[in-house]
Every structure is written in C-alpha cells, then in structure tokens.
Amino acid sequence: STPVKGSIGHSRSVTSRGVSSEHIKSIRENEAQDDVDAYLVRDVEGVLNMACPVDQERKNAANFIAAQISKGLSSDVSLQNLDGFYKLRLDATANIKERDVYVGFCEIVRHVALRIQQLSSESNTLNDDGAVQPSRLILPASQTDFMCSDADDSERIDIGLKHRPVDTIVYDEGSGKGKEAAHRTSAKEGVRYADLLLVVEAKQSNTRTNFDKAYVQLFRYTRKIYETQHNRRFAWGVVVCGTQVQVCAFGPNYAMASPSIDMVVSEDCAKLAGLLVNWSFCEEHVLGYDTSLTFIDEHGCWEIKVPIEGPECSNNMTTESTGYKTFYSHIMMLTADRLFGRHTRCFVATAEKPSVDNPIEFLKGNFIIKDAWPEVGDELGDYSRDEIGYLHKIRDTLDAIDELHGLYPRLEAGGRVRIKLNHEADELFEDTTRNILSRLDRNSTDREIPIRVHKRIAMSPVGKPLRELTSVHELVIVMADAMRCHDAILRHCDILHRDISPNNILFTRDKAGMVQGMLIDFDHAIRGSVENGQPHAERTGTLPFMSVANLEGSKHRRTALDDWESVIYMLCWLRFILVDDYEDDMFRGGSF
C-alpha cells in the first residue's frame, strides 16, 4: 500500500510548529530509533558487492590492487607502522577506548588510500596506456567526534569519510609525519554533511547494545546527508564496535547491513580494504550519486536533466539520444529530509542556461522540478498510479478550459530517470531500486522489497506557500480555487487527489496583487471510478488531515467527501496552530 506521508520532519514541518529545539532533537532521536526498528535489515549478504565497479576493466584493476593491499595487511611488520590499528589488534578484547577505535579505523582507511596511490602509479599495475586509474581516494575528515558546520543542532558524528582527488597528499605512516595532526580534533576544516560520502559511528566494544546505539546515531546523521546532498539516490554508512565493522546501504525502502567484519582478522581486513578500493574505482552512481543532476561550480547552480516521456514509455533501457529538457536551479523549495520513502525534492528552476553575463541569480525561476522515488507495481510498466501519467491527462484535458488555467500544475516535461551505468557504454538503464539492489543476495532476507522508480517532473507555474498570504480573504480565495480545481480534475479526468494538506495547496500572485490558488502533488492520486479497480480503502495521505474513514482504514471506497473532510481539518489547523505560531505568523498583516 502507499505509505502515509511523514508527519514530522524538521523544525518547519507540519507537526513540529511551535516546539523547542530540544523537543525537535528528541523527536529526531525517537524517529531514528523507530526507523532502526522498522527499516534496518541485518546480516544481508552482498552489501559489499554493491560497491564493485560496473565497468569490467575498472573492476579488474580494483581487484588487482585490493589483492596487493591485502597481502601487506597480513604482515605484522607492515601493521606495526599503524600504531592505532596495531593497538586494536593487540588489545582486541580489552583496554580499548572509543578513541582507540576512531584512530585505528582512520589509520586503516588512510593506509589503503596511500597504497592505492602507490600501486596505481606503478606501470605494471595498469594497462599499457595507463587508462585504468582510481577515480578518487576515500579518506577520513581531518576531525573526529565533530559537529558539521551545516548541522542545525548540536549533534556530533564520530568519523566522516570523504572522497578526495587521487593526487591528495596522504601522510606516510612509516615516517610518523602528520599522524598527530590527522587525528587531532579541531574545527579548522569546517566539515559539512554536504561534503561527506558517509558517516561512521563507533563504539568501544562489539555488544549488541552498542551496535543498536550506533545504528540509531548512524540513521539520524545519514538523514542529514540526504537533506543536504540533493543529488543522492542512496547512501552508505558504517558502524564500528570494537573491532567489528558493519557496512550499511540505505535505500528508499530499507537499510541493508552487512554481516560483521573483524578488521583485525587478516581475511576480514582484506574485505574492508577491498571495499575501500572499490569505492575508489567505482562509478559515481555506485556511490549513490545521481549523474543526471550536476552542480556547476562556475555558475553556482544545478544542471537538471528532465526526461520527455509519455505514460506509454516503459522500456527499461534506452540510449543518450532519449529526449530530455535541461533546467538550471540554485533554489531548493523542498529537500529530502527523511531516510525512507519517496525522497521528494523540489527545485525552483529556469530553462535558460546561466552565463557570466547572465548569472543564475538574475534568471527568473518559472518552473518547479520535482524529483522523487514513488512505488510502482510488481511490473515496472505498471502506470495504474503514476503522477506523470495523471499530469499528462490533466494538461491534455484542462488546457482547453481557460477558467482553470493556473489552478493546476502544468506538465512541461517528465519521465523516469535513466543513468549511464559505466563510463564507456552509451546505454542508459532505468534508475530503480531493483537495479540498485541487484547485487544483493535476496535469499539472505525475507523482507518484501517494493520496487521504486526514480522519476522527475518539470511543472509550471511556481507557487508560494500559504504562510505568505496576507489576509483571511486571500486564504478563502486560494482554498476555493484549489477545491474548484479538485472538482474539475475529478469530473473531467476521473482523478481523485486524496492528499489535501497545507503543503499541497499553493498560490500565485499576479501583477495587480490578486491571488489564485493551485492544487499540487498527485503522488497519492488514483482513478476515481469504481471500474478502475484500485484499492480505494488503503490508508494514505498526510496524517493530521486524513478523513476519519481514511485514518481508521475503513473498507469503504474513498470519495471526494474524504478530501472535503480534509479541507475542514486543514482550515481548523490553519486557525488554531499556524496562525498562533509566534515564530512563523502566517498572516503578517492581519489575523483571524
């Protein structure tokens, strides 16, 4: 069934209005615990395989270098140069402090990065033309036990791993230079969540309680990576308890954790080294990044490719010749601030390419780009509930009715995101959770994993949130417009919205200052007719505004009356909660 929208996100979300920062912190910790209980799948075989390069030549080079590094890790003489790591090996069952875990883990990560540099520079490890080089080095941030500079509370992470250029200077363990500086806790670097590949949470010993605590922290901090990195499709994470390491792959449905790796046992340490080598050689999308969404440093904006497709397009594979429109954005309207679900992001964008003479700040954002991971049926070609298909239908039907123009989001482009699986091939494959998790051993978990598809939509016009209205009179106009649109879409297009909430009703203001309402977000919509055969009785929508029948999971079919009931609850909420919030008064110039 379609999941209920999260009712608590960050300090500006629907149900966190008017609460203190300490209360919000407590809410986030509780949510992280709930997420661990509901979404963490342990001991999944194949998680480490997800990091392998797709391109065969890169995979071969990574395997060769990993094997060479593993030989060195089996030598006590080599490990004695890694003071912290060697201490873990000698005192694996006693006298280990959490700080020792930080130091030992960081040392092995740096050692692998240094050996990748050394081995890659030797001609006998490369092809004759020297083409197969690592794409990056994986290195710890210069601090441990630190607070990210873009954090909005006092949370501190243990270790952050970053991807750095291959020519980054990595200290030589044998020389002893730079060790103390590398492990010293300082604020000089100003590490940000936006720059981290992943978070590592460490505990002193490998008890089940410590692992549980580490995962709660890991979930909480990885959520910030999704929120600050707008091009993350999925994320990685690591927990280290004593000498035991578990690697976690976060997807829209679940977090898959590997069996434990004992980093002081030679065979297991080789697995950890192999993982770091694979992360250094693999393609960007294997790290979890979206290669169809690129940040242009020169112009300080995102370049976003939006597919041009119709609902009839269901091929799983295509080529770069597939049509798409390109947009540019430097303004986020909505970030993906939750670990699981649709991971919806919204960008305010322009179709005009910025330049030195015409910077992005001077270009008007006329479009909204929505990027999300909705569920589909068992078959990838299932368009029975598809927002893009609905928006095609709405546009093609309502464009002929002048009085409705501007009351609904008009589709400009949209489709399923496709990515290039390796550097050389021209073929693009559909970005789905099935493809992301294809290397997992599905027999190692009994969880049913729904299929989600990465979709991107460009729409117009750009609406404003209700809190920017200036009077009750304007609110009445906007609500009336939105529900007039709701009625027209149901009558003319046979589409029932099913998620009436403050976030899904926006407004525009014309040059004369007149407002117009707009109904958006058809993620939860279904065909309104009984003949369509959809599971009308499922529980879906935004929690505070769901109808009683919806909330109780009644078996009766959902109708427009459920959405009108949501309107009543929404108006009550606007009066008694939003307007009275002293930190964010909805109506700056008036009151009820």
Side-chain angles (χ1 to χ4, degrees), residues 72-77 79 83-93 96 243 263-266 269:
L73 290 174
S74 63
S75 168
D76 284 341
V77 175
L79 293 179
D83 296 340
F85 182 73
Y86 195 63
K87 180 179 180 180
L88 289 182
R89 191 167 189 177
L90 291 177
D91 300 328
T93 59
I96 295 178
T243 63
M263 61 179 173
V264 300
V265 174
S266 297
C269 191

Side-chain angles (χ1 to χ4, degrees), residues 508-524:
T508 58
R509 190 182 298 276
D510 62 22
K511 294 181 180 179
M514 300 298 293
V515 297
Q516 184 177 46
M518 179 168 62
L519 182 65
I520 67 166
D521 192 353
F522 290 81
D523 265 341
H524 292 284

Side-chain angles (χ1 to χ4, degrees), residues 86-238:
Y86 195 63
K87 180 179 180 180
L88 289 182
R89 191 167 189 177
L90 291 177
D91 300 328
T93 59
N95 302 321
I96 295 178
K97 299 178 180 179
E98 188 169 305
R99 182 72 180 165
D100 297 327
V101 178
Y102 297 170
V103 173
F105 183 83
C106 289
E107 281 191 349
I108 195 64
V109 172
R110 287 192 179 88
H111 173 77
V112 172
L114 181 64
R115 293 296 291 140
I116 290 173
Q117 279 186 329
Q118 294 169 344
L119 291 167
S120 297
S121 65
E122 298 174 8
S123 59
N124 63 342
T125 68
L126 301 172
N127 291 342
D128 292 338
D129 60 2
V132 182
Q133 289 277 4
S135 299
R136 64 196 72 83
L137 295 180
I138 306 301
L139 288 167
S142 63
Q143 310 166 47
T144 57
D145 186 25
F146 62 94
M147 185 174 71
C148 287
S149 61
D150 54 354
D152 57 2
D153 57 24
S154 58
E155 60 198 21
R156 302 179 70 87
I157 68 176
D158 294 337
I159 302 168
L161 295 189
K162 305 175 69 174
H163 44 83
R164 305 300 293 268
V166 178
D167 60 355
T168 299
I169 297 175
V170 183
Y171 74 83
D172 186 342
E173 303 92 338
S175 70
K177 295 180 179 179
K179 281 187 176 182
E180 190 62 33
H183 300 307
R184 183 174 60 241
T185 301
S186 68
K188 289 183 178 180
E189 190 181 21
V191 182
R192 305 185 305 162
Y193 280 110
D195 300 324
L196 293 179
L197 170 64
L198 60 91
V199 170
V200 181
E201 277 303 306
K203 299 296 178 185
Q204 179 181 1
S205 59
N206 63 340
T207 65
R208 176 60 183 249
T209 299
N210 278 343
F211 269 112
D212 291 344
K213 290 179 179 178
Y215 272 117
V216 170
Q217 291 176 294
L218 181 67
F219 274 48
R220 182 180 172 193
Y221 305 151
T222 302
R223 177 173 171 174
K224 295 295 294 184
I225 287 180
Y226 275 114
E227 184 178 344
T228 57
Q229 298 183 20
H230 310 314
N231 61 337
R232 286 307 283 261
R233 301 157 51 245
F234 66 93
W236 294 90
V238 174

